[in-house]
Each structure stands twice: as C-alpha cells, then as structure tokens.
Amino acid sequence: MRWFPNVAVVAAVMSLMVSPASAADPVLLRGFEASTLHGAVRPVDDPGAPDGRAISLAGVATRRVALVTGSGLVVRLASSCVGAGLRVRLDGGPSLTFGAGSSAWHDVRLRLRITAGEHLIGMRSFPRLRGGCTRLRVERVDVATRGRGDPVLLGAAMRAQNLADDHLYAATFVANFDSLTPENELKMLFVEPQPGRYDFRAADALVSFARAHGKTVRGHTLVYGSQLPSWVTNPPVPWTRASLLAVMKDYIDTVMKHYGSQILTWDVVNEAFNDDGSFRDNVWYRVIGRDYVEQAFRFARAASPGAVLTYNDIAAETDDAKSRAILRMAADFRRRGVPLDAIGLQNHTNLFGFPRADILEATMSRYATLGLRVEITEMDVGAAGYSASPATGSQLQADAYRDAATACWDVAACGRLTTWGISDAVTWIGSAQAPLLFDSAYEPKPAFYAVRQALLDPR
Ligand code: XIL
C-alpha cells in the first residue's frame, strides 16, 4: 500500500523548507543533540561518542520537537550498567522501554504512532542508576520518518505441498507477505527421518521459492519435543546424555550450515515450558536435562555465528507462570553469555480472550529491556463457536490482529509478525476456525486490512 502524506504533513514539511531549523527552533526534523534536552542531564566528554560529547542521563529530561505522521525516533545511547535502559514517552502517554543492550554506542529505534505537529518527548533512565555504575549516556536523538526506520515485516507459514498444487496460495503470499516460515518442513521428523540421512527437498523448495521472490525466511525449528523421528523417541539402544547431545549438535550443524546465509533467523528451541513454568517432558529434557536448551543455543551460535537465535513458545503472551519462566531463563542466559538473541511469541489465539495490545507491549518490553529482539511468530485467531453475527466476529478477529500489529509497531525491538498460514483454506486448526488474514477463496478479510493499516499507515 502506498502511503500518501496528508495535508498537515505537507504543511509541516513546507514550513521546514522555508524556515531552516536553528537551536531555538522546535521544528527540528533532523533531530537534536542530547545536550539540548532539559532536565536531569549533565554534559560529559566521551571519547567513544562520535563527536566526543554526550550527556549523562540520571533522571527525567524533556524536549519539544515537531514530528511528521509516522515518524520514529532513533536514540543513540550507551551504558556500562547491566540491565540499564531508557524509557521514552510522548506527550505524557505510556512509556516505551529500551534496554541499553551494550556499553558501545548504539542506536535504539522508537516507532511512533502520531499525527503531525509539535510533541513533547520525555526520557528517563532506569533503574535508578547509582553506585559503581556509570550513568546512561545519550549522544543524540534523530528523527526518522516512516520508510527509513526499521519496518515491521509481515510473514506467513507455508507448506511445500500447497505451493506445488495451488497457484493462488503462492500468488497471495508473493503479493502480500515479506517473510516465509516453513510450517513443518524444517522439523526433525522430515529433515532427518533416519539417523544421518538428511532430506532437505521439501524445505529447499520453500526456501528457493521465497528467495526467488525476494522474501526472507525464518527457520522453524531446530530443537522441539514434538514431530521427532521415531529413531530419536524410541532408540534401539537407550540414549546417554553424551550420545543425544551429539545427535543434537550434528543436527543443528548440518541444518544451519545447509542454509548458511539463506536463513538468518532460527527458532533454536521451541516450546520448552509447561503452562505452570516447569519444563515440558520430552526426550531432550529427559535424557540431557534442563540445560538442553542452553546447549542448543551454544551449538547454534557455533554453527552459524551471524544468525539471530530465537527461543519460541506458545501461550506465553501474558504475564503468567509460563512467561515468567521464559523471562527468568532469558535473563539468566544474558547474564551468563548464553547466545540468545530473540524471543518468539507464537500468539495462537481465538475470539474469546486474545491478548490486547497493551498486554503484548508489556510482555515484549520485558524482553526488550534485556536487550533481546522479539517477534510474533505463529499468529492465528480461531473464530469457531462465536454465536453473535459473522460480521461482529470478523471485526473482533480484526481487533485481535490489529492489536498484535500495533504492539509490534510500537515496540522497537519487534521486527516481524508472522501468521500461521495464509488463507482459511490451509490451516492446522481446520478451515471452520477461519483463523487467518485471507478467506478460503483468498479474498482479504477485515483482519488483513487491520494489519496492513497498523503496520504501514498508522495515524
Ligand atoms: C503445527 C503445524 O501447523 C501442523 O501442520 C503440524 O501437524 C503440527 O505442528 N506450535 C508450533 C508449530 O511451534 O510448529 C506447530 O505447527 C503449531 C504450534
């Protein structure tokens, strides 16, 4: 969808062209030095900062700035404090949280859903920084207009079988999605059906299709307790910890190296936890123990050092025992240097209790604070059993999708929303659930327009 600037945006841009910005001018579309923030700022010399100067932020600081519709802020910051970060709020609204992921200078991006005009930007460092910890340092704040900031990719899970059979299936993907996740083809059951006998044919078909159309691919999933070949679940000779770790390592090595730079985001471990936060029972956990998750991430980093390594789980969108177990594990991994880069929230849901945007944003922000990326990886919204009118049902479904897309847009660490299929004709929960963005005839549903608007045209 093309984005057409509205009258207010054109006026804001015109006024910039006739009156160049000065230090006293609130119209600063090109951003500002952090030293022009008002409040708890102290100018410091910082040889690591691009021009040798920065501020140390110890509390709240504010600045008025003119922004255009769909702008984003790019804040360049650094902090030597583990767990430190920045909260940014606009016009006194809810604050968005960023972890200062590293002590090196780096940019954090904040996408905004705002209308054109003058806005008050507020920033606060957290936690209350003191003691041996250097304060949070900010160098400058740049303003990015939409299109130049990081986009949110829209992805879909696909099946090789339907790709071969169904022209509309492929065409709908190519026209509307940016990213492809093989729905089953990269699971161990299909990739290593016999020990050491790898079969990449089905996954390769999906990967080459995606690449031929300039789409990116998510790898799903290297280590999973389900969809395993029987030689893993029922071995002729019982596994030992060492023998099963060797199988896991060989699998991760072989699969990641087969794809190399063709797949640079992987679900390394999928669904390790029960709803009560305990470990799910599966062969990896039983034989290797709870550190099978950590071992998988270490093998994955070694096999493909440039890949984004993701922990993915189901029904972990709200603040409950399961999502707290994941958060504890993620914090522990970060502390101990276990190579974890991102968290995937599957967001399989339905009309009767889908997570609202504020809940998703809060969950995502907790991971972002640890310096992790986040994604929504498998969204679908089951609609069966809804007794009010079909029109109300499809509006409610659109709300569920809009909320997820809005949350992903609002949290800078979220870079992609993937739906678990394309059309209601091909879905793991059955067509009667009508859970996806396109109907069984491949016509876009209200949910599709809601997602598109939230991702491309927020206002
Ligand atoms: C599902 C597929 O969609 C089905 O086709 C298959 O029969 C079972 O697996 N969480 C995940 C996915 O991480 O891999 C699952 O995919 C759905 C739940």
Side-chain angles (χ1 to χ4, degrees), residues 35-51:
S35 56
T36 62
L37 283 159
H38 306 289
V41 300
R42 191 166 53 83
V44 287
D45 290 326
D46 190 320
D51 66 357

PDB file of all heavy atoms in Angstrom, residues 35-51:
ATOM      1  N   SER A  35      22.418  17.227  24.353  1.00  0.00           N
ATOM      2  CA  SER A  35      22.693  18.320  25.289  1.00  0.00           C
ATOM      3  C   SER A  35      21.603  19.384  25.286  1.00  0.00           C
ATOM      4  O   SER A  35      21.538  20.210  26.179  1.00  0.00           O
ATOM      5  CB  SER A  35      24.046  18.945  24.968  1.00  0.00           C
ATOM      6  OG  SER A  35      24.042  19.358  23.622  1.00  0.00           O
ATOM      7  N   THR A  36      20.717  19.354  24.280  1.00  0.00           N
ATOM      8  CA  THR A  36      19.621  20.333  24.263  1.00  0.00           C
ATOM      9  C   THR A  36      18.379  19.808  24.982  1.00  0.00           C
ATOM     10  O   THR A  36      17.345  20.460  24.978  1.00  0.00           O
ATOM     11  CB  THR A  36      19.257  20.732  22.816  1.00  0.00           C
ATOM     12  OG1 THR A  36      18.795  19.559  22.135  1.00  0.00           O
ATOM     13  CG2 THR A  36      20.443  21.305  22.080  1.00  0.00           C
ATOM     14  N   LEU A  37      18.463  18.633  25.587  1.00  0.00           N
ATOM     15  CA  LEU A  37      17.360  18.163  26.440  1.00  0.00           C
ATOM     16  C   LEU A  37      17.360  18.985  27.729  1.00  0.00           C
ATOM     17  O   LEU A  37      18.414  19.401  28.216  1.00  0.00           O
ATOM     18  CB  LEU A  37      17.565  16.693  26.803  1.00  0.00           C
ATOM     19  CG  LEU A  37      17.243  15.663  25.709  1.00  0.00           C
ATOM     20  CD1 LEU A  37      17.958  14.348  25.995  1.00  0.00           C
ATOM     21  CD2 LEU A  37      15.743  15.420  25.606  1.00  0.00           C
ATOM     22  N   HIS A  38      16.178  19.196  28.298  1.00  0.00           N
ATOM     23  CA  HIS A  38      16.085  19.912  29.574  1.00  0.00           C
ATOM     24  C   HIS A  38      15.864  18.902  30.677  1.00  0.00           C
ATOM     25  O   HIS A  38      15.098  17.960  30.507  1.00  0.00           O
ATOM     26  CB  HIS A  38      14.900  20.888  29.556  1.00  0.00           C
ATOM     27  CG  HIS A  38      14.958  21.820  28.396  1.00  0.00           C
ATOM     28  ND1 HIS A  38      15.892  22.826  28.305  1.00  0.00           N
ATOM     29  CD2 HIS A  38      14.223  21.879  27.262  1.00  0.00           C
ATOM     30  CE1 HIS A  38      15.722  23.467  27.154  1.00  0.00           C
ATOM     31  NE2 HIS A  38      14.718  22.906  26.499  1.00  0.00           N
ATOM     32  N   GLY A  39      16.494  19.120  31.831  1.00  0.00           N
ATOM     33  CA  GLY A  39      16.225  18.235  32.974  1.00  0.00           C
ATOM     34  C   GLY A  39      17.507  17.614  33.498  1.00  0.00           C
ATOM     35  O   GLY A  39      18.549  18.284  33.548  1.00  0.00           O
ATOM     36  N   ALA A  40      17.402  16.331  33.864  1.00  0.00           N
ATOM     37  CA  ALA A  40      18.489  15.666  34.589  1.00  0.00           C
ATOM     38  C   ALA A  40      19.607  15.238  33.643  1.00  0.00           C
ATOM     39  O   ALA A  40      19.923  14.058  33.518  1.00  0.00           O
ATOM     40  CB  ALA A  40      17.939  14.463  35.338  1.00  0.00           C
ATOM     41  N   VAL A  41      20.193  16.224  32.962  1.00  0.00           N
ATOM     42  CA  VAL A  41      21.272  15.885  32.027  1.00  0.00           C
ATOM     43  C   VAL A  41      22.556  16.598  32.446  1.00  0.00           C
ATOM     44  O   VAL A  41      22.521  17.708  32.948  1.00  0.00           O
ATOM     45  CB  VAL A  41      20.914  16.295  30.572  1.00  0.00           C
ATOM     46  CG1 VAL A  41      19.667  15.584  30.116  1.00  0.00           C
ATOM     47  CG2 VAL A  41      20.740  17.790  30.436  1.00  0.00           C
ATOM     48  N   ARG A  42      23.654  15.938  32.233  1.00  0.00           N
ATOM     49  CA  ARG A  42      24.947  16.539  32.536  1.00  0.00           C
ATOM     50  C   ARG A  42      25.846  16.295  31.325  1.00  0.00           C
ATOM     51  O   ARG A  42      26.012  15.139  30.912  1.00  0.00           O
ATOM     52  CB  ARG A  42      25.535  15.853  33.774  1.00  0.00           C
ATOM     53  CG  ARG A  42      26.758  16.525  34.369  1.00  0.00           C
ATOM     54  CD  ARG A  42      27.024  15.960  35.775  1.00  0.00           C
ATOM     55  NE  ARG A  42      27.099  14.501  35.770  1.00  0.00           N
ATOM     56  CZ  ARG A  42      28.194  13.798  35.456  1.00  0.00           C
ATOM     57  NH1 ARG A  42      29.310  14.411  35.115  1.00  0.00           N
ATOM     58  NH2 ARG A  42      28.184  12.480  35.495  1.00  0.00           N
ATOM     59  N   PRO A  43      26.362  17.378  30.723  1.00  0.00           N
ATOM     60  CA  PRO A  43      27.238  17.158  29.566  1.00  0.00           C
ATOM     61  C   PRO A  43      28.519  16.456  29.996  1.00  0.00           C
ATOM     62  O   PRO A  43      29.053  16.750  31.067  1.00  0.00           O
ATOM     63  CB  PRO A  43      27.559  18.572  29.063  1.00  0.00           C
ATOM     64  CG  PRO A  43      26.808  19.520  29.926  1.00  0.00           C
ATOM     65  CD  PRO A  43      26.213  18.787  31.090  1.00  0.00           C
ATOM     66  N   VAL A  44      28.949  15.501  29.218  1.00  0.00           N
ATOM     67  CA  VAL A  44      30.205  14.803  29.535  1.00  0.00           C
ATOM     68  C   VAL A  44      31.044  14.664  28.267  1.00  0.00           C
ATOM     69  O   VAL A  44      30.506  14.592  27.164  1.00  0.00           O
ATOM     70  CB  VAL A  44      29.941  13.382  30.105  1.00  0.00           C
ATOM     71  CG1 VAL A  44      29.410  13.429  31.524  1.00  0.00           C
ATOM     72  CG2 VAL A  44      28.982  12.586  29.224  1.00  0.00           C
ATOM     73  N   ASP A  45      32.352  14.645  28.464  1.00  0.00           N
ATOM     74  CA  ASP A  45      33.234  14.281  27.355  1.00  0.00           C
ATOM     75  C   ASP A  45      33.204  12.772  27.256  1.00  0.00           C
ATOM     76  O   ASP A  45      33.271  12.085  28.270  1.00  0.00           O
ATOM     77  CB  ASP A  45      34.677  14.728  27.639  1.00  0.00           C
ATOM     78  CG  ASP A  45      34.792  16.242  27.588  1.00  0.00           C
ATOM     79  OD1 ASP A  45      34.064  16.847  26.771  1.00  0.00           O
ATOM     80  OD2 ASP A  45      35.568  16.802  28.378  1.00  0.00           O
ATOM     81  N   ASP A  46      33.069  12.286  26.055  1.00  0.00           N
ATOM     82  CA  ASP A  46      33.063  10.840  25.885  1.00  0.00           C
ATOM     83  C   ASP A  46      33.807  10.505  24.612  1.00  0.00           C
ATOM     84  O   ASP A  46      33.281  10.684  23.506  1.00  0.00           O
ATOM     85  CB  ASP A  46      31.621  10.318  25.826  1.00  0.00           C
ATOM     86  CG  ASP A  46      31.596   8.795  25.887  1.00  0.00           C
ATOM     87  OD1 ASP A  46      32.462   8.162  25.244  1.00  0.00           O
ATOM     88  OD2 ASP A  46      30.721   8.255  26.562  1.00  0.00           O
ATOM     89  N   PRO A  47      35.044  10.081  24.759  1.00  0.00           N
ATOM     90  CA  PRO A  47      35.856   9.827  23.567  1.00  0.00           C
ATOM     91  C   PRO A  47      35.226   8.786  22.650  1.00  0.00           C
ATOM     92  O   PRO A  47      35.468   8.790  21.441  1.00  0.00           O
ATOM     93  CB  PRO A  47      37.184   9.323  24.129  1.00  0.00           C
ATOM     94  CG  PRO A  47      36.987   9.105  25.584  1.00  0.00           C
ATOM     95  CD  PRO A  47      35.722   9.778  26.016  1.00  0.00           C
ATOM     96  N   GLY A  48      34.341   7.954  23.221  1.00  0.00           N
ATOM     97  CA  GLY A  48      33.705   6.920  22.391  1.00  0.00           C
ATOM     98  C   GLY A  48      32.555   7.465  21.567  1.00  0.00           C
ATOM     99  O   GLY A  48      32.118   6.833  20.610  1.00  0.00           O
ATOM    100  N   ALA A  49      32.005   8.625  21.926  1.00  0.00           N
ATOM    101  CA  ALA A  49      30.867   9.183  21.192  1.00  0.00           C
ATOM    102  C   ALA A  49      31.357   9.761  19.876  1.00  0.00           C
ATOM    103  O   ALA A  49      32.486  10.254  19.808  1.00  0.00           O
ATOM    104  CB  ALA A  49      30.184  10.260  22.019  1.00  0.00           C
ATOM    105  N   PRO A  50      30.536   9.712  18.848  1.00  0.00           N
ATOM    106  CA  PRO A  50      31.001  10.131  17.534  1.00  0.00           C
ATOM    107  C   PRO A  50      31.637  11.525  17.494  1.00  0.00           C
ATOM    108  O   PRO A  50      32.630  11.712  16.827  1.00  0.00           O
ATOM    109  CB  PRO A  50      29.739  10.052  16.682  1.00  0.00           C
ATOM    110  CG  PRO A  50      28.961   8.941  17.335  1.00  0.00           C
ATOM    111  CD  PRO A  50      29.227   9.059  18.806  1.00  0.00           C
ATOM    112  N   ASP A  51      31.120  12.517  18.250  1.00  0.00           N
ATOM    113  CA  ASP A  51      31.824  13.804  18.218  1.00  0.00           C
ATOM    114  C   ASP A  51      32.464  14.137  19.567  1.00  0.00           C
ATOM    115  O   ASP A  51      32.735  15.287  19.871  1.00  0.00           O
ATOM    116  CB  ASP A  51      30.898  14.928  17.744  1.00  0.00           C
ATOM    117  CG  ASP A  51      29.790  15.166  18.757  1.00  0.00           C
ATOM    118  OD1 ASP A  51      29.741  14.422  19.761  1.00  0.00           O
ATOM    119  OD2 ASP A  51      29.000  16.104  18.562  1.00  0.00           O
TER     120      ASP A  51
END
